[in-house]
Amino acid sequence: MIELQGLTKSYAGTNVVDDVSLTLETGEFGVLIGPSGCGKSTTLKMINRLVPLSGGRIILNGDDVTDLPAEQLRRRIGYAIQSTGLFPHWSVAQNIATVPQLLKWPKSRIDDRVDELMAMFHLDPVEFRHKYPHQLSGGQAQRVGVARALAADPEMLLMDEPFGAVDPLTREVLQAELKRVHQQTGKTIVFVTHDMDEALQLATRIALLNGGRLVQYDRPIEMMVKPADDFVREFIGQADLGLKLLSRRWVHQYQRAPSLEHHATLPGLDHCWQLDDAGRPVALEGARLDDDHGVTPVKAEWTAKPEMSLKEALSRMVWYRVMVLPVVDDAGKLIGEIGMQGIMGIQAEAEGRVS
Amino acid sequence: MASAASHQWVGNRVLMTLLVAAVASVGLLPFASLSPNRLASGQSVMLWQALASWQLAALALIGIALLIAALAKPMGPRASQWLALAATLPLLALDFYGLGDYAHRALVDASPAARVSQGATFWILLLVSALIAIDALQRLRLGLTRRALYGALALAVIGVCFSGELLAPLSIMREFANQEENFVDQLIRHLLLVGGALLPALLVGLPLGLLANRRARLRNGLFSVLNVFQTLPSIAVFGLLIAPLSALGRAVPWLGDLGVSGIGVAPAIIALVLYSLLPIVRNTYSGLAGVSSGALEAARGMGMTPRQILWQVEIPLALPVILSGLRIVTVQAIGLVVVAALIGAGGFGAFIFQGLGQYAIDLVLLGAIPTIVLAVIADFVLQILVGLSRPPGTRQENTA
Amino acid sequence: MNGAIHGARRLRAASAGNGVLGVLIVLLIGLTLGMGQLEPLFRALFPDLGNPLYARDSFLNLMLAHIGLVLMSSLISVTIGVAAGLFVTRPVGREFEPMVSSLAAIGQTFPPAAVLAIAVPLAGFGFAPTIIALSLYGLLPVIQNTIAGLGTVPQTTLEAARGNGMNRWQILRRVELPLAMPVIIAGIRISVIVNIGTATIGSTVGAKSLGTPLIAGLVGNNLAYVIQGALLVGLLAIVTDLLFERLERRYSFGG
């Protein structure tokens, strides 16, 4: 758990961070966001004291960070930055081993840990162990950067726009990977970005800063449906707020039992799934946008998975012109369905069932 | 590329140019000179007068081989370059052998005082072989080991020429024989002066470079002061140090006992240190400044202490630039020690200025040539060191 | 606002530089013309010396001879050096570029004093070997920096120039040379400064220069001569260097 209490930083009489207080529970993914110059990076760097505090306190798991020697504190906190900051004269393995080496772990433990982390980030140890940073692609270098930050199993992870310099495609892959790693490790993460989509994708808590002040600190959904003021509303982006909301909802929250026979009571929406012997959906009868009674063969491209976002599910419905998607498990078995009405209904629901 | 069409019959214009220069030199400039004694000026001997007929034939063969290598047609470019490279070794050998052999023949029935010296064409053929080799090595893009192998072969050829009695009758080699003991002394003295200046220069310059990197305020002033020393002519610095140092040596007897006096080693070393500081400080500074800010922030963020950051991140990454500074300074110091001979510090410069004073050209060359060889060797060795100090990961900075 | 402060500071630094340069120029001219007035001072400093003032030639003559040596050799170096640098960076001469570059690099490891000494057997004693040695040695940094300077012109700039319909000559004159100028001038600066120093030693091979009293003093154990020569040649070098610094600044664009 990390608590910022009245955190303040001033340069030449100007408060670039002004009385910021917030608490992030262990295991949460907190994102600091705001326009450039809002103080988000400075706030992050005060946590590991790369930037000295002008006022306020930071409590990390019960310890005031200013009570600890700076180097000792930093070895307890993983740190990953934009453009990786990898040491160009060290191999991938040496880079990942930086903090364990500073902590004087035995060599065998370091080697095991490096292998473990490389596996976690899908970097083949045989291929990558001895490569140097300049031989890596942007995405690979970024993975090594995050792996290095995690190496000594830190109490928390600080990330300063770590994906700021990679192309959009790689960025999406890295975000998905980071999310998986967060779930696997349960690490507390503080993450700085200026990209709202990235924040909504990753965060469990978002802190929106402007001009050094904390404007709103909330769960992503609440920030969207209950923005504190016009600045928040504008920063989130009103135009596709609906889609942004959908991106924070998951299929498993809204899926229902699959319809396996026709219901004459639902004119226009009457449909049923044809299954094969293994229980996999083969075709959909009815529920097409253009043809109520047509039979559509089920393709893998338009099935939904429980962990998929509603935004993606909607996108598939529009593209394949169907009113309902089959929800399948990893083996391809039909376990439910998600329909257009369910998606449209979310706005009316109570805000209790959020991720 | 556009001009390639008009020169299609020439495959390698660089080689062709060198070949033309060599032929012109053979036709116009003397290969050797024969003089009645050490100080008198000699009579010119052209190449065709100096060489035996089989030597001339061999030279013609080498010339034809090089001509074929320069032309586009009979051979492909790679084979041509190998041919050119291979031809430089016999050319080198023939240049030395021809001169030595001529000296033997010419001095058989001359007075013992008579001397044979090398002429312009000898030097030009030497230079042309070196340039052809450099051009061929560049075009062939050979690796370091194969370049080194060629270098060793060329050195072996020169070594063989110098090992026997072949070159002994040459005027400069007789001068060397006369001065042999003195020569070794001056070589050692020259090296000691260079080393004696570089060590304190490094001890002072490296921390100053670090300071310039850490304290921006100090930097400009420091660099302007050091730049003044680089600008001043060396002989002026040597000269201006004489008066204060001799005064110091007289005023503080124990310093005088240590050898601090107006002339000799003390002003030479002080002046050399002052000269050496700027490149060392500047390269240390810019090497450290070139370390990416991302790497430094990451190092700090991961809990490295300032000392660990300096030794594990900054210095390894700055080392190639720092060593380049050392390379500049070493080569420069080898040259400046020559001038220091004027204030009695010794070294090869002593031969040069003694020779100039006596109008003894061979003595001048006996000082000048080894100095140049020393400088080129030092440059080469330090260049390799710079290459080795470059960690494999820094050959290409990852800026992505 | 920040920029304005920065600019003002730079302006102040520049005018301070002007002051220093002015004082040094006055000192240089004053000492060259009026060294004789200092005779009592040297007599007081070196009471043991019979002749505390170099009198075999006027310091003005020596200064002019020194400047003449450097000017003439630099003229040769710059003309040949820039021409060679241009030649090897044009399509016609590109084949020669690696050779010329490595020649310039290796040549600069040769100590200037040794080059001067080697010129003697080729050209005898006096003015000629000094000019040859100075021009040859001064050539190298000029060539090297001309190649480097032309190499720093960004490819995109050249493409833009071509795209705007400039011909090769116009590109060279209006784009490449102006952009390469600071680097070329830096090369000329190195060349001239080294030559001022080497011309001093030129007196050992019989060329008249400010080194003449200096060397005479060293040989004849007359410290006053040494100081008189060293002072003038040192001032000359510093003033020249500062003048080049200003020239370089004038030709650099924003960088």
Side-chain angles (χ1 to χ4, degrees):
Chain A
M1 186 175 84
I2 179 140
E3 289 170 73
L4 314 186
Q5 299 173 353
L7 199 60
T8 300
K9 177 72 202 175
S10 46
Y11 288 112
T14 316
N15 284 355
V16 290
V17 174
D18 193 358
D19 194 21
V20 169
S21 299
L22 55 85
T23 302
L24 191 68
E25 295 295 331
T26 302
E28 290 227 60
F29 197 126
V31 170
L32 297 169
I33 193 168
S36 42
C38 71
K40 52 188 192 294
S41 261
T42 311
T43 304
L44 183 90
K45 286 175 187 171
M46 280 194 279
I47 296 177
N48 65 358
R49 287 176 49 202
L50 282 178
V51 171
L53 283 65
S54 304
R57 299 209 306 161
I58 299 176
I59 311 292
L60 173 64
N61 295 332
D63 299 326
D64 188 327
V65 298
T66 49
D67 289 346
L68 300 165
E71 279 85 25
Q72 205 179 320
L73 167 76
R74 290 176 192 150
R75 289 170 199 177
R76 281 170 58 181
I77 302 176
Y79 188 55
I81 57 175
Q82 182 175 354
S83 78
T84 76
L86 291 181
F87 300 132
H89 58 309
W90 286 356
S91 68
V92 166
Q94 283 172 300
N95 262 293
I96 295 178
T98 306
V99 184
Q101 235 143 30
L102 290 175
L103 294 170
K104 303 201 164 54
W105 287 14
K107 192 178 174 320
S108 61
R109 186 174 166 208
I110 294 178
D111 287 345
D112 291 349
R113 181 64 180 158
V114 169
D115 284 340
E116 188 187 336
L117 282 163
M118 292 184 77
M120 187 188 277
F121 286 90
H122 303 307
L123 293 164
D124 178 17
V126 181
E127 189 189 343
F128 286 99
R129 232 171 193 285
H130 302 290
K131 281 202 173 175
Y132 284 90
H134 77 269
Q135 297 167 309
L136 304 176
S137 71
Q140 288 162 348
Q142 213 49 257
R143 285 187 184 93
V144 175
V146 180
R148 181 175 70 171
L150 282 169
D153 206 10
E155 292 164 40
M156 69 179 302
L157 198 55
L158 303 181
M159 307 181 87
D160 191 359
E161 300 207 35
F163 308 145
V166 292
D167 63 88
L169 256 155
T170 312
R171 181 182 254 242
E172 255 176 55
V173 174
L174 289 172
Q175 285 167 353
E177 245 171 58
L178 181 59
K179 204 165 162 174
R180 174 176 58 79
V181 169
H182 176 234
Q183 279 157 4
Q184 268 175 25
T185 59
K187 290 269 178 261
T188 315
I189 297 178
V190 179
F191 187 104
V192 164
T193 183
H194 57 260
D195 174 358
M196 198 41 146
D197 288 323
E198 186 164 73
L200 292 172
Q201 167 78 17
L202 295 170
T204 60
R205 294 272 183 177
I206 295 180
L208 179 60
L209 283 84
N210 188 28
R213 302 197 70 95
L214 184 61
V215 181
Q216 187 169 3
Y217 180 53
D218 248 324
R219 293 178 184 284
I221 298 277
E222 272 139 17
M223 196 157 259
M224 282 187 277
V225 298
K226 288 185 227 148
D229 59 19
D230 285 346
F231 172 77
V232 180
R233 196 169 290 126
E234 203 172 309
F235 195 82
I236 291 173
Q238 280 288 281
D240 57 350
L241 192 58
L243 288 178
K244 286 210 169 85
L245 264 173
L246 289 181
S247 74
R248 289 293 307 184
R249 298 301 170 85
W250 319 107
V251 167
H252 65 83
Q253 295 172 315
Y254 294 92
Q255 76 191 54
R256 61 187 182 214
S259 155
L260 297 174
E261 50 194 64
H262 288 281
H263 299 273
T265 48
L266 286 171
L269 291 173
D270 181 29
H271 68 282
C272 93
W273 300 98
Q274 295 174 5
L275 303 181
D276 66 6
D277 296 341
R280 289 184 294 237
V282 179
L284 168 64
E285 293 176 17
R288 283 189 62 89
L289 273 177
D290 41 6
D291 177 4
D292 282 349
H293 302 289
V295 174
T296 320
V298 172
K299 289 184 194 153
E301 299 94 87
W302 59 275
T303 58
K305 292 269 175 69
E307 63 273 18
M308 188 180 274
S309 75
L310 290 190
K311 185 177 167 185
E312 200 175 344
L314 178 68
S315 166
R316 290 182 183 207
M317 286 181 207
V318 171
W319 185 250
Y320 293 101
R321 306 179 69 76
V322 290
M323 300 291 286
V324 58
L325 295 182
V327 181
V328 298
D329 62 11
D330 287 339
K333 244 183 88 182
L334 186 70
I335 52 173
E337 64 175 37
I338 178 90
M340 193 71 94
Q341 309 100 310
I343 292 175
M344 304 297 282
I346 62 164
Q347 196 68 64
E349 282 175 44
E351 280 299 329
R353 288 167 60 194
V354 289
S355 63
Chain B
M1 294 299 110
S3 61
S6 57
H7 291 285
Q8 253 169 4
W9 51 279
V10 180
N12 182 341
R13 289 192 296 141
V14 176
L15 180 53
M16 196 52 132
T17 312
L18 291 171
L19 208 52
V20 170
V23 170
S25 159
V26 166
L28 300 171
L29 297 169
F31 177 68
S33 73
L34 181 62
S35 55
N37 59 55
R38 179 169 174 250
L39 301 179
S41 60
Q43 136 208 14
S44 294
V45 182
M46 300 304 280
L47 183 88
W48 61 85
Q49 298 164 319
L51 294 195
S53 46
W54 71 267
Q55 291 160 357
L56 282 172
L59 190 64
L61 269 178
I62 294 170
I64 290 168
L66 286 172
L67 183 67
I68 291 173
L71 293 178
K73 253 302 142 56
M75 297 167 82
R78 237 183 132 67
S80 294
Q81 285 143 21
W82 277 112
L83 178 63
L85 188 63
T88 56
L89 291 174
L91 182 59
L92 198 63
L94 196 61
D95 199 25
F96 278 106
Y97 185 82
L99 185 68
D101 190 45
Y102 165 72
H104 276 287
R105 281 182 280 120
L107 294 175
V108 167
D109 40 28
S111 84
R115 297 263 183 150
V116 172
S117 317
Q118 59 290 343
T121 294
F122 169 80
W123 292 116
I124 288 173
L125 287 182
L126 208 61
L127 181 70
V128 163
S129 343
L131 293 181
I132 291 175
I134 289 174
D135 179 58
L137 288 171
Q138 274 168 348
R139 285 170 194 257
L140 284 167
R141 297 177 192 286
L142 293 187
L144 195 67
T145 37
R146 287 212 262 184
R147 278 169 190 245
L149 195 68
Y150 173 81
L153 271 176
L155 279 180
V157 168
I158 296 172
V160 167
C161 292
F162 273 93
S163 63
E165 285 296 298
L166 175 68
L167 298 174
L170 280 180
S171 182
I172 184 170
M173 293 309 285
R174 288 207 202 164
E175 196 71 50
F176 172 69
N178 287 342
Q179 301 273 0
E180 195 162 353
E181 227 169 275
N182 200 1
F183 183 87
V184 174
D185 284 349
Q186 299 293 24
L187 169 66
I188 292 171
R189 207 175 164 80
H190 205 106
L191 292 176
L192 282 180
L193 280 168
V194 171
L198 289 186
L199 199 68
L202 284 174
L203 288 179
V204 178
L206 294 176
L208 275 182
L210 186 63
L211 199 68
N213 178 252
R214 300 292 197 254
R215 301 263 181 282
R217 281 167 174 281
L218 266 170
R219 193 183 309 143
N220 289 332
L222 186 63
F223 282 166
S224 335
V225 170
L226 294 177
N227 186 47
V228 169
F229 285 114
Q230 278 274 317
T231 307
L232 288 173
S234 51
I235 183 69
V237 178
F238 289 134
L240 287 175
L241 280 172
I242 294 179
L245 280 178
S246 53
L248 191 69
R250 278 196 304 271
V252 188
W254 63 270
L255 277 178
D257 293 342
L258 276 177
V260 173
S261 67
I263 57 164
V265 174
I269 297 252
I270 293 175
L272 288 173
V273 170
L274 291 177
Y275 270 97
S276 307
L277 278 179
L278 179 70
I280 292 180
V281 174
R282 191 182 45 204
N283 280 45
T284 306
Y285 161 74
S286 55
L288 292 172
V291 177
S292 84
S293 58
L296 290 180
E297 193 192 323
R300 240 152 61 79
M302 280 185 301
M304 286 192 178
T305 60
R307 187 179 292 261
Q308 284 168 330
I309 296 176
L310 179 66
W311 287 101
Q312 296 183 18
V313 181
E314 293 186 280
I315 289 183
L317 288 174
L319 197 58
V321 187
I322 297 176
L323 284 177
S324 304
L326 182 63
R327 177 183 161 202
I328 297 170
V329 160
T330 309
V331 171
Q332 181 183 276
I334 290 174
L336 289 176
V337 168
V338 171
V339 182
L342 282 173
I343 53 164
F348 285 134
F351 289 134
I352 296 181
F353 295 115
Q354 207 181 320
L356 288 173
Q358 302 172 356
Y359 296 93
I361 297 308
D362 291 311
L363 196 54
V364 173
L365 292 182
L366 194 62
I369 294 172
T371 314
I372 292 175
V373 171
L374 209 58
V376 171
I377 290 175
D379 186 61
F380 183 69
V381 169
L382 279 160
Q383 206 176 339
I384 289 177
L385 223 59
V386 170
L388 288 179
S389 74
R390 204 160 286 160
T394 54
R395 265 171 298 185
Q396 189 191 329
E397 289 288 351
N398 183 11
T399 48
Chain C
M1 198 177 89
N2 224 343
I5 291 172
H6 195 72
R9 195 172 296 160
R10 193 187 291 175
L11 211 65
R12 213 175 311 138
S15 61
N18 278 347
V20 172
L21 182 59
V23 169
L24 288 174
I25 290 178
V26 169
L27 206 59
L28 179 65
I29 296 174
L31 278 178
T32 307
L33 297 174
M35 192 71 89
Q37 318 298 321
L38 295 179
E39 196 178 344
L41 176 68
F42 283 109
R43 205 171 279 286
L45 279 173
F46 303 99
D48 307 340
L49 293 174
N51 288 320
L53 191 73
Y54 187 78
R56 264 171 265 172
D57 211 333
S58 79
F59 283 102
L60 179 63
N61 269 347
L62 294 171
M63 176 65 76
L64 291 178
H66 199 113
I67 294 177
L69 269 176
V70 174
L71 215 58
M72 187 159 164
S73 56
S74 295
L75 216 62
I76 300 174
S77 302
V78 170
T79 314
I80 302 180
V82 172
L86 283 176
F87 173 69
V88 301
T89 49
R90 304 301 102 188
V92 212
R94 194 143 289 156
E95 205 180 342
F96 290 84
E97 198 266 337
M99 157 77 47
V100 170
S101 290
S102 33
L103 206 58
I106 297 171
Q108 283 186 83
T109 64
F110 288 24
V115 174
L116 181 68
I118 286 214
V120 170
L122 298 175
F125 279 85
F127 191 68
T130 313
I131 285 287
I132 290 178
L134 295 188
S135 321
L136 270 182
Y137 200 80
L139 196 61
L140 306 175
V142 178
I143 294 184
Q144 207 169 36
N145 280 40
T146 305
I147 295 174
L150 291 169
T152 58
V153 180
Q155 208 55 44
T156 46
T157 310
L158 293 180
E159 258 167 48
R162 256 199 305 278
N164 281 315
M166 289 192 189
N167 62 32
R168 275 190 196 170
W169 168 244
Q170 287 166 325
I171 293 176
L172 177 64
R173 214 169 54 88
R174 297 211 192 141
V175 181
E176 287 186 273
L177 278 181
L179 286 174
M181 208 39 113
V183 186
I184 298 178
I185 291 177
I188 299 175
R189 177 178 174 182
I190 298 171
S191 156
V192 169
I193 294 299
V194 170
N195 278 352
I196 289 179
T198 314
T200 320
I201 319 171
S203 58
T204 59
V205 303
K208 188 163 80 175
S209 74
L210 288 171
T212 312
L214 218 169
I215 307 276
L218 286 174
V219 173
N221 217 353
N222 186 327
L223 262 187
Y225 290 1
V226 174
I227 291 177
Q228 287 150 20
L231 219 53
L232 284 179
V233 80
L235 270 174
L236 177 66
I238 292 177
V239 165
T240 311
D241 191 59
L242 288 176
L243 285 174
F244 267 106
E245 194 184 336
R246 287 163 58 94
L247 196 65
E248 246 176 80
R249 215 180 303 146
R250 212 169 117 189
Y251 274 98
S252 59
F253 300 91

